[in-house]
Amino acid sequence: RKFGYAIVGLGKYAVNQILPAFAECEYAKVTALVSGDINKARRLGKHYGIEESHLYTYDNFDKIAQDPEVDAVYIILPNSLHADFTERSFRAGKHVLCEKPMAVTVEECQRMITAGKKAGKKLMIGYRCHFDPVTHKAIELARTSIGKPQIITTDNGDNTDPTDPTYQWRLTRSLSGGGALMDLGIYGVNGSRYMLNEDPIEVQATIMPPSDPMFREIDETIVWIMKYRSGAVAHGSASFNVNAMSRFNLQGTDASLRMDPATSYWCNSVSHCTTGDTHTWSTPMFTIPALNQFSAQLDHLAISVANNTPLAATGEEGMQDVRLIQAMYQSAHSGSRPVSTDWGDWRKTI
Ligand code: NAD
């Protein structure tokens, strides 16, 4: 039978991206829904063929332990709720797929990893780009076709609509844990690490003063630098108050890579520019058959559990990004002074 997921939190990402993606899964299906709004759960349950006995609220969620149709819980809630629901899911004897950012503190991430180990269950973080063939092509080119990687530039941003509930919790520190960096900049942080296959040893960051009172609790716009032992440097920005942007530029000694968009849902692209083409991005963009990142991600955990194969995006991977983000916030809140992140290089190739 297919690997069964319970989806916890029926907000925008769950409803618009994840639930429809099950249609293209080979090994996974949705078997339960968990929501604070039972009518919404009923409506979606009807659409996806899930019976009332597999609909849960946040309060009676722990009963999921007795639901044999549920193998894993996929947590798609505001960031500060990730840790508690992960622990509850492990206590219920389920595997966990948890959205990015993994949690709002390093301590929470550690608790989640420990709970998974204690339960003997897998913990995966929702880094969908790890399942994007364009990203895989970019990583391959970064390893083989640009010479020595020197400089990464990465920018991620979007406009905020304060009337939309999906943005309201993002503006509230107690629910989000931070602003543009936690929500969007994390793609640049994680992406720089997989592009270089290396962890930074020092970070620095500056948070710009908010341009609107709605951003008073969180970073509206932040810029940062990450330095690597190899000599490479990544610099990036994230903003909640710009026209949408999602891009990577990787400059090597012999060639450059450009991804724009880099981390979108469906239409990422990568182009490769060699010496001699310095002013024209003339080499073809790599057109790669679109793969549904969401379905591939859902299947990946199912396959990993069935065959006991390693996960592409582990809790440790998620925790490293949260640690780096916290170090950037520490720098930003102390006059942008450099903060050492030389915690040892444990990365493996994705
Ligand atoms: P959303 O606001 O649209 O959905 C969140 C859901 O959580 C809503 O159904 C809301 O009712 C529910 N919820 C439960 N308790 C809540 C509380 N105390 N306050 C507010 N809402 C509460 O948000 P979203 O965009 O779906 O994001 C959810 C998670 O998914 C976040 O962690 C986000 O970072 C992540 N996400 C990931 C991607 C990706 O591409 N991987 C994309 C979007 C969102």
Side-chain angles (χ1 to χ4, degrees):
R1 76 174 175 85
K2 282 189 172 179
F3 186 82
Y5 276 95
I7 303 298
V8 185
L10 302 177
K12 261 197 174 160
Y13 189 57
V15 171
N16 296 339
Q17 310 304 329
I18 298 303
L19 285 170
F22 281 103
E24 288 190 39
C25 282
E26 229 178 301
Y27 304 103
K29 66 175 180 175
V30 54
T31 52
L33 299 175
V34 186
S35 175
D37 179 347
I38 196 65
N39 289 326
K40 194 201 278 183
R42 282 193 181 118
R43 202 172 60 245
L44 286 162
K46 204 167 164 202
H47 185 77
Y48 287 100
I50 300 164
E51 286 172 16
E52 181 86 19
S53 57
H54 300 290
L55 304 180
Y56 300 87
T57 63
Y58 301 126
D59 294 333
N60 71 14
F61 168 75
D62 305 286
K63 281 193 193 160
I64 215 157
Q66 278 88 52
D67 192 332
E69 298 287 308
V70 174
D71 298 296
V73 174
Y74 189 173
I75 298 160
I76 319 184
L77 291 167
N79 308 337
S80 70
L81 305 176
H82 291 181
D84 279 354
F85 272 89
T86 296
E87 288 184 302
R88 286 171 77 178
S89 305
F90 282 137
R91 276 201 298 276
K94 309 298 180 185
H95 302 282
V96 173
L97 174 52
C98 177
E99 258 317 313
K100 51 55 61 180
M102 178 173 173
V104 298
T105 65
V106 178
E107 294 69 30
E108 284 185 351
C109 295
Q110 193 64 65
R111 259 173 43 206
M112 293 160 77
I113 292 169
T114 305
K117 290 205 168 118
K118 195 170 155 206
K121 297 290 167 184
K122 294 201 184 248
L123 171 58
M124 176 172 161
I125 309 303
Y127 284 125
R128 59 179 169 74
C129 296
H130 291 221
F131 303 94
D132 171 34
V134 178
T135 298
H136 283 217
K137 183 71 192 172
I139 293 170
E140 179 202 316
L141 291 167
R143 303 275 188 278
T144 59
S145 309
I146 63 161
K148 185 174 168 344
Q150 295 281 71
I151 304 170
I152 287 190
T153 313
T154 167
D155 303 291
N156 292 276
D158 210 348
N159 277 129
T160 299
D161 173 0
T163 63
D164 182 339
T166 203
Y167 292 101
Q168 283 161 8
W169 68 260
R170 284 173 164 84
L171 294 170
T172 310
R173 172 171 295 279
S174 59
L175 287 168
S176 61
L181 177 57
M182 282 292 263
D183 194 47
L184 303 173
I186 191 169
Y187 288 100
V189 173
N190 191 252
S192 300
R193 294 173 50 238
Y194 59 63
M195 287 294 184
L196 294 172
N197 198 25
E198 192 182 0
D199 281 309
I201 53 171
E202 188 183 286
V203 301
Q204 256 176 291
T206 300
I207 295 175
M208 301 305 290
S211 68
D212 186 295
M214 74 169 149
F215 299 113
R216 66 187 164 274
E217 290 193 20
I218 47 95
D219 40 304
E220 170 191 349
T221 297
I222 181 167
V223 292
W224 71 86
I225 298 171
M226 300 198 279
K227 291 181 189 161
Y228 294 82
R229 203 182 303 282
S230 63
V233 63
H235 62 113
S237 69
S239 179
F240 270 167
N241 199 8
V242 289
N243 189 30
M245 58 178 180
S246 155
R247 55 179 172 253
F248 284 123
N249 203 92
L250 175 50
Q251 210 71 22
T253 47
D254 303 338
S256 329
L257 294 181
R258 176 189 283 186
M259 297 184 78
D260 190 355
T263 61
S264 72
Y265 289 164
W266 297 105
C267 57
N268 295 325
S269 72
V270 57
S271 59
H272 180 248
C273 175
T274 50
T275 317
D277 297 330
T278 319
H279 301 296
T280 49
W281 293 87
S282 55
T283 19
M285 290 227 289
F286 287 85
T287 47
I288 294 162
L291 176 87
N292 186 323
Q293 300 167 37
F294 314 102
S295 314
Q297 174 183 264
L298 291 161
D299 272 345
H300 180 77
L301 178 60
I303 295 165
S304 169
V305 168
N307 303 331
N308 200 20
T309 44
L311 285 170
T314 58
E316 285 79 2
E317 174 78 27
M319 183 166 76
Q320 181 72 352
D321 287 336
V322 173
R323 275 212 288 187
L324 289 167
I325 286 170
Q326 295 305 336
M328 287 179 189
Y329 282 147
Q330 189 188 334
S331 168
H333 292 128
S334 58
S336 304
R337 71 174 172 77
V339 172
S340 170
T341 57
D342 194 0
W343 306 308
D345 191 355
W346 55 272
R347 261 209 75 75
K348 57 184 178 0
T349 310
I350 66 165

